């Protein structure tokens, strides 16, 4: 395909439905037992929350307390030290 004159090649293996027309696959809310006289529905859409927020807080705490190197020293590393590019502490710090 030439970038200056793109051509469409029909294929029976490709779905021609545009992506914006595909309905979202969202599970329905899960009703839970009422709490405090109010209905409670569990919804997994997340809203405006970030799934990484807990990891960010955990990293900040680990950096402030400095326990990651101590934790890494307590773990057995079966790798050949001559071939290790990342230390156990490096790997633990990448847990996000």
């Amino acid at each position: 395909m030439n970038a200056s004159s793109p051509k469409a090649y029909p294929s029976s293996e490709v779905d021609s439905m545009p992506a914006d027309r595909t309905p979202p696959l969202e599970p329905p809310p899960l009703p839970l037992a009422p709490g405090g006289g109010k209905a409670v529905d569990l919804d997994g859409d997340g809203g405006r929350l970030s799934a990484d927020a807990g990891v960010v807080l955990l990293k900040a705490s680990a950096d402030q307390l400095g326990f990651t190197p101590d934790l890494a020293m307590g773990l057995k590393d079966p790798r050949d030290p001559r071939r290790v590019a990342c230390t156990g502490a490096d790997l633990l710090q990448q847990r996000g």
Side-chain angles (χ1 to χ4, degrees):
M1 179 194 288
N2 188 342
S4 62
S5 60
K7 297 178 183 177
Y9 296 99
S11 172
S12 60
E13 297 175 15
V14 178
D15 185 5
S16 62
M17 178 184 271
D20 59 344
R21 291 190 175 205
T22 304
L25 300 175
E26 296 177 9
L30 177 65
L32 301 176
K38 296 183 179 183
V40 178
D41 290 333
L42 181 61
D43 182 332
D45 73 354
R48 294 175 42 189
L49 300 176
S50 169
D52 295 334
V55 175
V56 171
L57 291 174
L58 181 61
K59 181 175 180 350
S61 299
D63 290 347
Q64 188 175 23
L65 297 173
F67 64 78
T68 303
D70 295 337
L71 180 61
M73 287 185 349
L75 298 175
K76 183 179 178 186
D77 190 354
R79 301 175 297 168
D80 182 354
R82 297 172 297 173
R83 299 179 181 263
V84 172
C86 299
T87 66
D90 293 336
L91 296 175
L92 285 172
Q93 289 173 347
Q94 294 178 7
R95 66 186 169 273

